[in-house]
Amino acid sequence: MQDLNNQVVIITGGAAGIGAALTKVLAQRGASIVAVDINEQAGLAIAQSNPKQIVFLKGDVSCASTAKQAVQLAVRTFGKLTGLVNNAHASIQKPIMEHTKEDWALSFGTGFDATLYFMQAAYPELIKSGGAIVNFGSGAALSGNPMQASYAAAKEAIRGLSRVAANEWAKDNIRVNVVSPKALTEGVAAWKARFPEQYEISANKVPLQRFGDPEKDIAPVVAFLLSEDSRYITGQTLMADGGTVQLR
Ligand SMILES: NC(=O)c1ccc[n+]([C@@H]2O[C@H](COP(=O)([O-])OP(=O)(O)OC[C@H]3O[C@@H](n4cnc5c(N)ncnc54)[C@H](O)[C@@H]3O)[C@@H](O)[C@H]2O)c1
């Protein structure tokens, strides 16, 4: 099990879904967490579950000011910042020809822009002791799933940015990697209810025959990428998806 003692990590979207699993598991492994989310109720609840190690910041990740506030909160509360997980991402599913300007803005604002803002805000703190950034990609983007144009485009933009940052910031001992998960969260359960056929197709394509568990299958991969155990890994995409997409 990865030891994250002495680590201070910002997790965007850290109040629900995979983000909540990350907040819980990384704290269990010793890290102090700043969970940033627009969901105030869930955010307050998760902070209350472990007030010594988890603080909550209510904010919209698509605003650059939220990123700056999160970094300030980490330093003010825990004295430093050693890790950043860009997990939050909201988007709409519809055909390319029906995508509106607002639909593109939602996905790029909460996905790509937010990832960039948090990376830029975190950099001055991360260079102080070296650090790790974990961004989130998606198999839907790698495969080009129908109905997911704005989501897929923003996710692949995040992967491109991550590779450039991995190369630019290697000299600062800052590692940047991407995790591409497949997990049965509340959000996926809602998607399953709305598009049951798409869900069946998706579940049947998983070589390990199931959607992942956020705490047991996804959070440990993120913990690994934040820990010293992965000190020689940067610029990579790790597929935590039961073997669905096999990168070469
Ligand atoms: N669940 C999966 O199987 C799956 C598959 C591929 C990729 N992903 C990626 O993994 C990450 C987490 O997915 P999830 O299923 O847990 O998502 P989710 O929608 O269940 O949770 C996302 C969290 O982000 C928060 N959030 C949304 N918009 C926000 C905003 N503007 N500002 C602040 N917080 C905001 C939500 O309140 C929520 O707590 C995302 O990047 C997603 O694209 C998930």
Side-chain angles (χ1 to χ4, degrees), residues 13 16 18 37-38 59-61 87 136-137 151 155 181-183 185 188:
I18 291 172
D37 211 295
I38 37 168
D60 182 343
V61 293
N87 160 80
F136 267 66
Y151 178 67
K155 282 301 195 201
K182 185 183 274 289
T185 56
V188 174

Side-chain angles (χ1 to χ4, degrees), residues 92 94-101 103-104 147-150:
I92 297 288
K94 52 168 79 161
I96 293 171
M97 296 303 283
E98 291 175 23
H99 259 75
T100 64
K101 206 173 153 193
D103 298 334
W104 289 102
M147 313 278 284
Q148 304 203 30
S150 57

Side-chain angles (χ1 to χ4, degrees), residues 17 30 32 39-40 56 69-70 75 78 82 88 96 121 150 164-165 181 202 220 229-230 240 243 245:
S32 298
N39 184 337
E40 187 167 28
F56 169 60
Q69 282 170 27
V75 174
F78 302 117
T82 65
I96 293 171
S150 57
V164 173
S202 201
D229 286 352
S230 62
V245 176

Side-chain angles (χ1 to χ4, degrees), residues 85-143:
V85 182
N86 282 302
N87 160 80
H89 196 160
S91 65
I92 297 288
Q93 288 196 25
K94 52 168 79 161
I96 293 171
M97 296 303 283
E98 291 175 23
H99 259 75
T100 64
K101 206 173 153 193
E102 290 73 29
D103 298 334
W104 289 102
L106 174 70
S107 182
F108 274 81
T110 62
F112 178 78
D113 294 350
T115 298
L116 175 62
Y117 294 152
F118 275 80
M119 288 171 70
Q120 287 175 325
Y123 178 78
E125 290 304 321
L126 295 180
I127 52 168
K128 289 181 182 168
S129 55
I133 297 173
V134 179
N135 294 330
F136 267 66
S138 171
L142 287 155
S143 305

Side-chain angles (χ1 to χ4, degrees), residues 33-52:
I33 307 291
V34 174
V36 185
D37 211 295
I38 37 168
N39 184 337
E40 187 167 28
Q41 204 183 356
L44 291 174
I46 207 158
Q48 221 164 27
S49 71
N50 185 349
K52 267 194 180 165

